[in-house]
Amino acid sequence: MPRFLTGLLTLLLLCTGPLWAEEVVLGLSKDKVSITTSFDGSDILIFGAVKREQAIPDGPPIEVIVTVAGPSTPLTVRRKAKRLGIWVNTDAVEVDRAPSFYAVQTSGPLREVLKDVEDLRHKISVPRAIRSVGAPSNISDAESFTEALIRIRSRSDLYQLREDAVTVSEQTLFRTAVRLPAALTEGDYVTRIFLTRDGQVISSYDTTIDVQKVGLERWLFELSRGQPLLYGIMSIAIAIAAGWAASAVFRMFRA
């Protein structure tokens, strides 16, 4: 075969892409969450389908991973130790970036549906979503600080790993519900869906959920940022009024 025909055939094969292309088609029960004074959390239903140009291929079944990440901020993780009978801060590690909320939900055990190299590439698991570099040279166990952060936020339901929480039907339809706790930071919550086969990511899709304070919650938040002195005076006045009202009620019942 002439050399130019061989090169042309190779180029066509590269441009054609995978024969069994599979893509995500996604839906959300709501793409906006409003935080009010009575907000106690919210459930987001995430559902979708796998779009194919061909029939379902033979081989390992398709798996689905869903992640929802709140705004990321830097923070300091400190370690306490007892010195002369008093608990004091001894070591500290600066975490460059940690999501305020992070949920991972999968259609099977995470170790089985996602290879480690793919996790490293896409930053899917909870530890990989946290960026911590440049720990002080006197700290040899910097990883334990990240583990402590994950443990603390997991107790508050701010970091979640829920395996077998995504239902996949007929290798085409999938759905899951992500629980957003009451203690949310407002901002864009990046939602990612990954399709995997044999541990390899074959398709992904990104969207966002808008989380914002509204009503009295929004007014108080803006007041505390824009006019902190007025906010402090108002907080003291409310505390005094509440204390006076409580004592008045107590005296009335004693009378």
Side-chain angles (χ1 to χ4, degrees), residues 187-255:
D188 290 334
Y189 281 59
V190 179
T191 303
R192 300 184 297 167
I193 290 83
F194 298 92
L195 301 181
T196 69
R197 194 181 290 280
D198 196 24
Q200 301 281 349
V201 174
I202 59 176
S203 180
S204 64
Y205 183 91
D206 295 5
T207 187
T208 58
I209 299 171
D210 184 29
V211 176
Q212 296 291 337
K213 295 181 174 70
V214 297
L216 179 60
E217 189 78 8
R218 160 60 61 183
W219 182 76
L220 291 173
F221 176 79
E222 292 182 347
L223 183 65
S224 66
R225 295 298 187 273
Q227 302 183 56
L229 178 60
L230 178 59
Y231 178 80
I233 294 174
M234 188 180 70
S235 299
I236 294 173
I238 293 175
I240 293 173
W244 178 85
S247 63
V249 172
F250 181 72
R251 287 195 304 270
M252 181 180 65
F253 278 103
R254 290 191 59 184

Side-chain angles (χ1 to χ4, degrees), residues 3-45:
R3 182 176 299 178
F4 80 92
L5 288 178
T6 303
L8 179 59
L9 179 59
T10 302
L11 180 61
L12 287 173
L13 289 174
L14 291 174
C15 293
T16 301
L19 180 61
W20 304 106
E22 296 171 294
E23 299 178 357
V24 179
V25 179
L26 181 68
L28 297 172
S29 60
K30 52 185 172 181
D31 58 7
K32 182 175 291 186
V33 175
S34 299
I35 301 177
T36 63
T37 53
S38 60
F39 180 75
D40 61 353
S42 179
D43 290 324
I44 303 294
L45 178 62

Side-chain angles (χ1 to χ4, degrees), residues 100-167:
S100 57
F101 171 83
Y102 195 72
V104 181
Q105 303 197 174
T106 68
S107 58
L110 184 60
R111 289 178 176 269
E112 296 179 10
V113 303
L114 183 69
K115 291 185 176 179
D116 191 63
V117 65
E118 293 290 273
D119 187 18
L120 181 62
R121 179 180 299 129
H122 297 279
K123 305 293 189 295
I124 294 175
S125 65
V126 175
R128 292 273 163 75
I130 300 172
R131 185 175 183 269
S132 179
V133 296
S137 57
N138 63 318
I139 297 179
S140 59
D141 59 340
E143 297 83 3
S144 64
F145 287 79
T146 300
E147 293 171 357
L149 173 63
I150 295 173
R151 185 169 59 253
I152 292 170
R153 291 194 168 178
S154 295
R155 290 172 183 167
S156 303
D157 216 22
L158 291 174
Y159 285 174
Q160 306 171 7
L161 171 59
R162 294 177 177 167
E163 299 174 314
D164 298 307
V166 180
T167 302

